[in-house]
Amino acid sequence: MGFMRRSGKNEEKRSEEQEGGLREATQYFIIDKHSTWRKEIKIFDITSLIELPYLSEAWDDHIRTIQSRIPGKSKDGTEILPSLEISRARFFTSMMTISQPPDTSPIGTWKGSIFSTQKSVFEFPADSPHSSHPIVMKPMGLWTASEEFVKESVRHIGKFDKRLSSRYFTLFKQIGSQEIPVAQYRSTKLSVWIGGGVLAIDDKEIDPVVAVLWCANMLRKVEQRGAESAV
């Protein structure tokens, strides 16, 4: 009976976490250690390693097992390579390039913000399948951590799931008055920039590369706000 009661509480907690958030995911990514001062950020596609429904009862343990193998070997013994890499030539620059290893050719650029209140700009080649125009991500207000951007004339809004925590946040696509969740980030660490958090995406609703860049930008802003509040 005791075990059943704990299970019920866990299911209730999962239900609360999913309320208003992403309910279905088609792709999953792990974002490696993230810091304003790192010269590169590696993103691993772990979709083929997922064996449980999103946010099921044993989800967190399942993700920790996968995290222990990143970087490492997949089930068939092949090396798990980053599916995306964000890098910059020097530490003290906010201009970054985005590539898809092992190809080092840029598929886009990221002009990051210096302060959390500033905008970030992502640009893509003219023939890019990810966006036909630059994407500008910016805070929705001076006193809010939520960020917004427009892609193909559709407004997207990134919000933190909990008021006092920056470990969980969700991306919504706005259609009329309706907000549709299209991606969700959950950190398994106490500090989000330690890395290892999982980004779940519904790729029927959002381009995966754009979703990953949105997530990386949100993580960058979290660190910037932490540094600004310490001054």
Side-chain angles (χ1 to χ4, degrees), residues 166-186:
S166 56
R167 295 171 59 196
Y168 316 104
F169 44 84
T170 302
L171 178 64
F172 298 88
K173 180 167 68 174
Q174 190 173 60
I175 305 296
S177 60
Q178 185 180 12
E179 292 183 352
I180 302 171
V182 298
Q184 186 173 46
Y185 178 82
R186 290 172 52 84

Side-chain angles (χ1 to χ4, degrees), residues 16 31 55 96 125 130 142 164 178 180-181 184 195 202 208 231:
E16 290 174 354
I31 297 181
L55 292 186
M96 292 162 275
H130 307 297
L142 187 60
L164 299 178
Q178 185 180 12
I180 302 171
Q184 186 173 46
D202 182 354
V231 175

Side-chain angles (χ1 to χ4, degrees), residues 129-215:
H130 307 297
S131 180
S132 63
H133 58 83
I135 293 177
V136 180
M137 298 186 186
K138 59 184 180 180
M140 293 180 64
L142 187 60
W143 306 110
T144 177
S146 299
E147 297 257 332
E148 64 178 343
F149 66 91
V150 174
K151 182 181 184 297
E152 314 300 344
S153 302
V154 177
R155 187 187 187 208
H156 294 72
I157 303 170
K159 302 178 181 179
F160 288 93
D161 296 355
K162 299 181 180 181
R163 185 179 297 274
L164 299 178
S165 175
S166 56
R167 295 171 59 196
Y168 316 104
F169 44 84
T170 302
L171 178 64
F172 298 88
K173 180 167 68 174
Q174 190 173 60
I175 305 296
S177 60
Q178 185 180 12
E179 292 183 352
I180 302 171
V182 298
Q184 186 173 46
Y185 178 82
R186 290 172 52 84
S187 174
T188 56
K189 311 291 185 179
L190 292 178
S191 297
V192 294
W193 52 81
I194 291 177
V198 173
L199 175 66
I201 299 171
D202 182 354
D203 65 4
K204 300 187 301 296
E205 299 288 350
I206 185 72
D207 179 88
V209 169
V210 173
V212 166
L213 296 177
W214 159 78
C215 184

